[in-house]
Amino acid sequence: MVIRKILLLLLVITFAFNYTSIAQKEIITTEGKKEFMADEFNIKYDYYLSDGDTVFHGKYTLKKPVIETEESKYFEFLNFSGWYHKGKLDSIWEISSGIAKSVGEGVFSDYKYSFKVSGTEMLARVEFKEDSLIQNWNIFEWSIVESEIQDTLLVLSLKETSNEDELCIHVYKPGEYMDIYVNREGSPLGTWLYNSSLEDSIHIRKWFFEEGQLIKKEIIKSDTAVVIETLQEVEVDIDFEIEKLAMDNEYFRILDIIAMYNSPEGSRYITKERPSFELLKETKYRLLETDDLFFQLTGKDNYIDGFAKIKRYPYSKEEKSLLDRISKNKQEIEEKIDITIADPQISIAKLSTNEVLRFITLLSHLKEQTLMPINEILRHYDDGALEYIVRDTRILQKFELKEAVEIQIETEDGDELSPYVLEGFSYDKGSLSSLAIIHAYSQFIADKVSQIEDSLDYYISELKREENLVALESELIKKYENNKELCESIITDQINEVAGYDVQKVILGFLDGELSSYSKLENVDKKMEKVEPLIDCMSNIERLLYTIENVPENIQIVEDGYTRTVFNPYTFTNMDEKIKQPIYKAFHQNLLPYIFDQVKGMKCESVRAVDRNITNLFEGMVDLLKKDTKKLERRVRRMSDPQKIADLLEIKIDAN
Amino acid sequence: MTRIIFFTFSFVICLGYQSFGQDDLMAEFEDFGTNVWLGSYNKFRLADKWFWRAEFHYRRGGYGDTPFIGRMSQIYNRHAINYFVNKNLNISLGAVVRLDFTGDPQDDQLEYVVPEPRIWHEYLFVMPWPRFQMFHRIRIEHRWSRRNDIDSEWIYRDRWRYKFYMTIPINKPQLVPGAWFINPDIEIIMQSGSPVVNSPLEDLRIYPSVGYIVSPSITYTAGLMYTTGQRLARGHVYRQRWVARINAYVSLDFRKQERKVPSIRTTD
């Protein structure tokens, strides 16, 4: 008590001394213009002269002139006001900034024309002493209606607590507030609190820090309280490094990820923390903004960026290798699945074939569900968060890798098919690291995808075969119908007369018989085996029909060829006479019937030969006209076997 | 053609008038004689327009007590070169050797066989019709003959023959192989020369026949011919005969094969 009185006395003496010394100097108030922040501000300040130098002392104001444009009635304002003491910042300083517009009617009074304004104002108030900022910040934002404060939009205060090393930041916005504790270095302390009544219920979050690390989080919503441990318990010795991270979104994101790995069941709460992050983000922004404005005025940076400590667990070489291999597997799996699903044939096939639909559903499940843990791990690997996770214990804790998963299969119409059981993956937690198990898991999925693709290939190839068969059968029927029409239109009575039987009936019977035999085949394999030869057969029949169609004309050619016009010197008339008569007779009596007997008894395999024989017969007969056939004629006269006659005359006719 | 026929008939009438005018004897007709003539008419084509005609007749007949065709009568061997002028005219020139056999082989005063050479030329006019053919044949023969009597003299005569005949198909519209046809035929044979005093009409032959065209090369005809004509030395006596005739007409083409066979159409 005595000491305090002595100190008070010394203070009074010092004040009196100073006052006396300053009072001896003349305080001058001056106004003018000042270039500031790329604008021209109105300045008004008090000062005195000391050895010819201007020393700020007293009130200091700096106001940005208001310029109202015609385009918009809104104008920005920015005012600084505070105090100097002997040239040093002192006492309370305020920055008022905002945007407003004039409203209502102007009033002329005391030779001034004034309007009321409406808008928003941010007022920052800090305290200096001896040019140094005392950590006592207050920032307000409110709305102004007709020059009256209407609503408070933001209250932010930063001040020392009873513990001098501890700073408390309190931020309030309508419906929510947050209390943040840091030490003078910016490291988090104690318990942070976020309270929100933005939604229907009270929503409270608490962050518990110890030695700069987040220990746990508590989420209270309505009557539910969830505690999420964020400090990872390490069962075995693992190398780690303590790392300082700026307390920004990235820090909290990493914390969230750690929390999710620590408490998978609490993950759903963590993902709803966005409002508290937004408030924290705005707090930092306001402090930085205010600090920046004072920096413009004083040239001093007073903001202390917060940081937190966090444990980082560097990857081993083996882990990096595993992660790279997992990434490669995942990429290959996704590419394969995407290509398969995008295959138009498969897209069509799944509509008609349940087995294809089953496999496509399975592939989709593998990509969207089964592959999800790997995706998440790799995402955290890529964004750096995985390095802060105790991977060996937390990964398998978060992702439960089931040995068997039942996948429901549903058709486009909503009918449920029998489910597919994805099984076959098992692992031994004791002998493998988590990442090795995840790698095995990725390999399992890759193998499964390959198996499914093989199965799909089989189904698609079967489907293609069936489609191909359908196309071929369509072609077969088309040719069959065409042949029938052709047969009915071009086989005339004249041909039947030459053949000695109803050629049309025989060929139509042949066509029907072949098609009937084909239709009785039992399975696709046998049909596939037969359909193409049968199509060839139909094509050959078509050619044969055209050949037969030409038979009368070809016979006429032979007739003409083997007929010469002879002048009869007794009747004095021209008369037709057959030449090479034995050959000509053999043609009519033996060879032509022989050929048409072949038509009657032909099979698919012999159609082409029969067709060729007919052509060869007529060509051979014409060729014989150019040859000396006297000897042949004598021998032919004694023969009756058509094949032997053909051989003798060198007409290539194959026996069927 | 019409002029030729008119000329021929005028000539015959004039000759007849002259002969009847010289003798007051009444015409006498002998009893019918009977004969059978087997003829082979051959034409061999040597070139597009040239033919070789080779004709043979084997003739038998009755004589006295010898029955109907019991006696060998004549053998003809007639050859000629035939030129095909165009489809309406055909000309032939050749020679004939006819062998005349004795009427009484027992009579040693008669030579068994006597040759009779001839030179002959023929002009055949063809009139084609859509359904049949019509022919006018003029044949002129220059003959040297003698009787079978030993040491008989050779006499020379000219023969003037005109023949009209037709070939009319029966079962077919044209004369083509397989066609039957009828063959009306009439010929008048006149003769002249120093031995011919009052017998210019040597023979009048009316010969309807039926024919069948086997092929362009072979045709057969058969028919019964009636003939009558004046005896050379006794013009008032008319000989009459019934002659059964069977003929084969053969034509062969001796040209090279490629000239015979027309080109063949083997493509459309």
Side-chain angles (χ1 to χ4, degrees):
Chain A
M1 195 66 182
V2 175
I3 293 170
R4 288 187 73 177
K5 284 182 179 176
I6 293 168
L7 285 173
L8 184 61
L9 179 63
L10 286 172
L11 186 64
V12 170
I13 293 168
T14 305
F15 178 74
F17 175 75
N18 285 341
Y19 180 77
T20 307
S21 62
I22 292 171
Q24 289 173 346
K25 299 182 186 295
E26 185 185 0
I27 303 298
I28 306 162
T29 299
T30 187
E31 293 183 57
K33 299 286 184 184
K34 178 180 170 64
E35 290 291 327
F36 183 66
M37 294 173 70
D39 265 324
E40 192 173 58
F41 278 63
N42 295 322
I43 187 168
K44 183 178 180 184
Y45 58 93
D46 295 342
Y47 72 97
Y48 64 83
L49 292 173
S50 173
D51 297 332
D53 291 334
T54 300
V55 178
F56 292 125
H57 186 78
K59 183 88 171 156
Y60 180 96
T61 59
L62 195 61
K63 293 183 178 178
K64 186 179 177 181
V66 173
I67 300 170
E68 193 172 347
T69 62
E70 288 185 1
E71 292 83 26
S72 169
K73 289 186 175 179
Y74 281 96
F75 58 87
E76 291 179 346
F77 58 93
L78 177 60
N79 298 329
F80 292 82
S81 67
W83 298 85
Y84 276 96
H85 180 76
K86 292 181 183 177
K88 293 181 178 177
L89 286 97
D90 194 59
S91 188
I92 302 296
W93 275 78
E94 288 182 349
I95 302 170
S96 168
S97 67
I99 184 167
K101 65 175 181 180
S102 55
V103 293
E105 298 173 345
V107 175
F108 181 81
S109 175
D110 296 334
Y111 304 110
K112 291 179 182 174
Y113 183 47
S114 60
F115 286 87
K116 288 184 177 180
V117 297
S118 292
T120 57
E121 180 189 22
M122 188 278 289
L123 178 67
R125 183 181 290 150
V126 296
E127 188 175 355
F128 289 92
K129 187 173 184 182
E130 292 284 321
D131 244 3
S132 294
L133 183 121
I134 294 171
Q135 292 294 9
N136 185 12
W137 301 42
N138 288 287
I139 300 169
F140 307 93
E141 186 176 278
W142 40 61
S143 62
I144 300 164
V145 177
E146 294 187 1
S147 300
E148 297 288 334
I149 293 174
Q150 183 77 17
D151 291 314
T152 301
L153 302 176
L154 175 84
V155 176
L156 192 157
S157 67
L158 185 154
K159 62 184 70 172
E160 293 174 355
T161 65
S162 55
N163 184 346
E164 289 185 357
D165 289 335
E166 192 174 296
L167 297 174
C168 173
I169 301 167
H170 174 81
V171 59
Y172 163 85
K173 284 181 78 172
E176 58 183 341
Y177 68 88
M178 193 171 187
D179 289 329
I180 298 165
Y181 298 92
V182 293
N183 66 15
R184 288 190 178 276
E185 292 173 333
S187 179
L189 292 170
T191 303
W192 289 16
L193 173 70
Y194 171 77
N195 188 309
S196 168
S197 56
L198 290 171
E199 297 173 9
D200 295 340
S201 57
I202 301 296
H203 193 175
I204 297 169
R205 277 185 176 27
K206 289 179 181 176
W207 294 264
F208 299 89
F209 292 93
E210 282 182 10
E211 296 178 358
Q213 291 189 72
L214 183 68
I215 304 302
K216 62 179 181 182
K217 292 164 78 168
E218 187 177 353
I219 300 168
I220 303 165
K221 189 172 183 183
S222 302
D223 299 330
T224 309
V226 178
V227 176
I228 299 167
E229 300 291 338
T230 54
L231 191 66
Q232 301 176 80
E233 297 296 332
V234 180
E235 291 82 0
V236 291
D237 287 339
I238 299 175
D239 290 338
F240 66 86
E241 294 170 1
I242 297 290
E243 195 170 88
K244 286 184 177 179
L245 289 181
M247 292 185 68
D248 54 13
N249 278 3
E250 177 62 9
Y251 168 69
F252 287 102
R253 189 185 68 81
I254 290 172
L255 282 180
D256 279 351
I257 291 169
I258 292 170
M260 283 193 287
Y261 275 83
N262 273 3
S263 176
E265 69 277 6
S267 299
R268 57 199 174 95
Y269 297 99
I270 293 168
T271 53
K272 295 180 179 175
E273 286 194 302
R274 190 53 52 196
S276 59
F277 285 150
E278 289 301 317
L279 193 56
L280 191 67
K281 191 175 166 184
E282 185 165 359
T283 303
K284 185 177 179 180
Y285 169 75
R286 295 293 186 179
L287 290 172
L288 270 174
E289 184 187 43
T290 305
D291 186 60
D292 185 52
L293 290 170
F294 279 109
F295 175 80
Q296 301 292 333
L297 186 68
T298 64
K300 288 181 179 178
D301 186 359
N302 296 296
Y303 177 75
I304 300 168
D305 203 355
F307 69 89
K309 290 177 184 172
I310 192 165
K311 280 183 182 176
R312 183 168 63 83
Y313 306 92
Y315 299 117
S316 66
K317 280 187 181 176
E318 186 192 355
E319 283 183 313
K320 280 211 161 211
S321 167
L322 283 168
L323 284 163
D324 290 343
R325 279 148 61 194
I326 291 167
S327 175
K328 190 180 171 193
N329 276 350
K330 177 242 179 187
Q331 199 173 345
E332 287 177 358
I333 290 165
E334 286 184 337
E335 278 178 8
K336 278 185 175 179
I337 291 175
D338 288 346
I339 289 170
T340 304
I341 290 177
D343 187 327
Q345 280 191 318
I346 290 177
S347 299
I348 294 167
K350 76 177 182 185
L351 299 175
S352 58
T353 310
N354 283 343
E355 278 306 315
V356 175
L357 173 67
R358 179 186 295 274
F359 286 124
I360 291 299
T361 308
L362 183 54
L363 283 178
S364 299
H365 186 276
L366 286 174
K367 186 184 173 190
E368 290 160 14
Q369 303 293 325
T370 316
L371 209 56
M372 192 175 65
I374 292 172
N375 285 336
E376 202 162 328
I377 290 166
L378 290 174
R379 192 170 66 245
H380 296 150
Y381 175 55
D382 290 340
D383 63 23
L386 192 65
E387 206 171 7
Y388 298 92
I389 307 292
V390 181
R391 294 173 290 279
D392 230 10
T393 54
R394 295 298 184 270
I395 286 177
L396 291 182
Q397 180 179 309
K398 175 166 171 53
F399 302 113
E400 188 186 0
L401 305 179
K402 293 179 182 173
E403 292 184 357
V405 179
E406 193 174 272
I407 300 166
Q408 299 301 322
I409 313 288
E410 203 171 80
T411 64
E412 295 280 332
D413 301 331
D415 299 333
E416 281 191 8
L417 303 176
S418 57
Y420 184 92
V421 179
L422 180 66
E423 57 187 353
F425 177 68
S426 62
Y427 60 94
D428 180 8
K429 273 187 181 175
S431 60
L432 291 172
S433 69
S434 293
L435 284 179
I437 291 168
I438 293 295
H439 174 254
Y441 184 63
S442 72
Q443 195 58 51
F444 164 74
I445 299 171
D447 292 346
K448 214 68 188 170
V449 168
S450 293
Q451 282 175 18
I452 293 168
E453 285 198 326
D454 288 346
S455 301
L456 271 175
D457 283 347
Y458 171 75
Y459 274 102
I460 293 302
S461 65
E462 279 295 301
L463 205 65
K464 280 180 181 171
R465 279 187 71 201
E466 286 178 18
E467 283 175 358
N468 190 31
L469 180 61
V470 169
L472 288 171
E473 284 184 339
S474 171
E475 187 184 347
L476 173 66
I477 296 299
K478 196 174 169 187
K479 282 186 178 290
Y480 164 78
E481 295 291 347
N482 181 53
N483 280 345
K484 277 185 78 172
E485 284 179 20
L486 201 60
C487 187
E488 286 165 355
S489 64
I490 67 178
I491 303 297
T492 58
D493 290 343
Q494 190 183 4
I495 293 169
N496 293 339
E497 196 177 326
V498 171
Y501 60 86
D502 190 339
V503 178
Q504 189 184 95
K505 189 178 174 184
V506 165
I507 293 180
L508 288 177
F510 173 82
L511 291 171
D512 289 339
E514 290 296 324
L515 200 65
S516 172
S517 300
Y518 174 80
S519 67
K520 286 174 186 165
L521 294 175
E522 291 167 359
N523 57 42
V524 174
D525 285 340
K526 285 183 180 172
K527 286 190 171 180
M528 280 302 293
E529 190 184 327
K530 290 285 180 190
V531 67
E532 289 192 50
L534 194 52
I535 288 171
D536 285 345
C537 179
M538 292 293 166
S539 300
N540 293 337
I541 286 287
E542 186 182 349
R543 280 193 286 273
L544 176 66
L545 285 169
Y546 283 120
T547 303
I548 292 175
E549 183 192 21
N550 290 329
V551 162
E553 187 184 353
N554 282 324
I555 289 176
Q556 190 56 50
I557 289 173
V558 171
E559 291 288 335
D560 292 346
Y562 280 76
T563 301
R564 67 169 175 176
T565 303
V566 178
F567 175 72
N568 187 323
Y570 294 105
T571 60
F572 273 78
T573 54
N574 287 325
M575 294 180 184
D576 286 343
E577 181 185 56
K578 294 297 174 203
I579 60 170
K580 300 176 188 280
Q581 284 216 20
I583 295 173
Y584 175 78
K585 278 184 183 172
F587 168 74
H588 276 288
Q589 293 174 4
N590 302 97
L591 297 177
L592 262 182
Y594 182 49
I595 291 297
F596 277 101
D597 280 349
Q598 288 188 343
V599 173
K600 201 193 293 186
M602 70 185 171
K603 294 175 181 171
C604 260
E605 297 76 25
S606 61
V607 172
R608 184 173 283 184
V610 170
D611 182 28
R612 203 168 42 235
N613 287 347
I614 295 174
T615 306
N616 287 348
L617 173 61
F618 290 111
E619 288 180 355
M621 286 298 292
V622 172
D623 286 344
L624 283 169
L625 287 169
K626 302 167 193 163
K627 296 178 182 174
D628 182 357
T629 54
K630 283 179 184 168
K631 289 180 183 174
L632 293 177
E633 287 170 41
R634 281 196 292 274
R635 292 177 64 186
V636 165
R637 194 175 283 126
R638 296 191 296 270
M639 296 169 77
S640 59
D641 183 336
Q643 189 61 53
K644 287 181 180 173
I645 292 172
D647 293 342
L648 176 69
L649 297 177
E650 295 180 348
I651 296 172
K652 188 163 172 48
I653 293 178
D654 296 325
N656 288 317
Chain B
M1 175 61 70
T2 311
R3 286 180 180 177
I4 293 168
I5 296 167
F6 178 77
F7 170 76
T8 306
F9 265 94
S10 302
F11 179 74
V12 169
I13 290 166
C14 287
L15 284 177
Y17 178 77
Q18 181 189 10
S19 62
F20 283 112
Q22 290 175 354
D23 200 338
D24 295 332
L25 294 175
M26 295 294 286
E28 292 177 21
F29 288 88
E30 292 179 352
D31 293 337
F32 283 98
T34 55
N35 288 76
V36 62
W37 294 359
L38 303 178
S40 169
Y41 294 81
N42 304 296
K43 272 192 177 180
F44 306 118
R45 192 163 193 171
L46 305 175
D48 287 350
K49 295 245 179 188
W50 294 96
F51 293 79
W52 167 30
R53 294 179 66 171
E55 299 174 359
F56 307 96
H57 267 210
Y58 178 79
R59 297 179 177 175
R60 295 182 72 86
Y63 183 80
D65 296 334
T66 307
F68 180 51
I69 55 172
R71 183 180 70 87
M72 188 65 208
S73 180
Q74 285 136 4
I75 289 177
Y76 261 84
N77 193 353
R78 182 188 293 137
H79 294 264
I81 292 298
N82 175 231
Y83 181 69
F84 183 84
V85 179
N86 57 42
K87 63 178 183 178
N88 300 118
L89 178 60
N90 206 255
I91 299 171
S92 300
L93 172 63
V96 181
V97 174
R98 190 177 84 168
L99 299 179
D100 288 328
F101 292 87
T102 178
D104 184 4
Q106 307 301 321
D107 187 346
D108 55 3
Q109 295 301 307
L110 296 175
E111 291 183 30
Y112 180 69
V113 59
V114 175
E116 180 185 316
R118 296 177 186 171
I119 292 171
W120 66 287
H121 42 110
E122 181 183 282
Y123 310 91
L124 180 64
F125 301 92
V126 184
M127 296 174 70
W129 294 81
R131 294 292 304 273
F132 58 88
Q133 295 286 83
M134 190 185 285
F135 302 88
H136 300 278
R137 190 184 80 183
I138 295 172
R139 181 183 288 177
I140 300 167
E141 295 173 343
H142 310 285
R143 60 194 293 199
W144 290 267
S145 63
R146 58 185 281 261
R147 294 172 61 85
N148 286 76
D149 299 325
I150 295 172
D151 298 330
S152 62
E153 291 182 357
W154 289 89
I155 58 173
Y156 171 78
R157 286 173 292 176
D158 294 315
R159 286 181 108 191
W160 311 87
R161 302 175 64 166
Y162 166 74
K163 179 176 183 177
F164 170 82
Y165 63 99
M166 297 168 75
T167 47
I168 305 167
I170 303 168
N171 61 331
K172 289 182 184 288
Q174 301 291 335
L175 292 164
V176 294
W180 289 91
F181 61 93
I182 54 171
N183 189 184
D185 182 334
I186 181 165
E187 183 177 19
I188 183 166
I189 303 173
M190 306 295 289
Q191 63 181 342
S192 63
S194 54
V196 179
V197 179
N198 58 355
S199 54
L201 179 63
E202 185 188 351
D203 213 1
L204 173 67
R205 294 174 178 176
I206 299 168
Y207 170 42
S209 63
V210 175
Y212 177 73
I213 300 171
V214 179
S215 74
S217 305
I218 300 173
T219 304
Y220 296 109
T221 60
L224 185 62
M225 181 171 74
Y226 167 77
T227 79
T228 184
Q230 293 172 298
R231 290 286 184 184
L232 178 64
R234 297 170 292 148
H236 65 287
V237 179
Y238 289 83
R239 180 183 63 173
Q240 294 186 99
R241 289 180 297 177
W242 290 106
V243 182
R245 298 183 62 172
I246 298 172
N247 296 320
Y249 299 86
V250 177
S251 63
L252 298 174
D253 194 340
F254 288 171
R255 290 176 298 173
K256 287 184 179 177
Q257 188 69 18
E258 59 268 26
R259 293 186 66 83
K260 290 191 284 187
V261 179
S263 59
I264 306 303
R265 178 176 65 91
T266 56
T267 54
D268 290 333

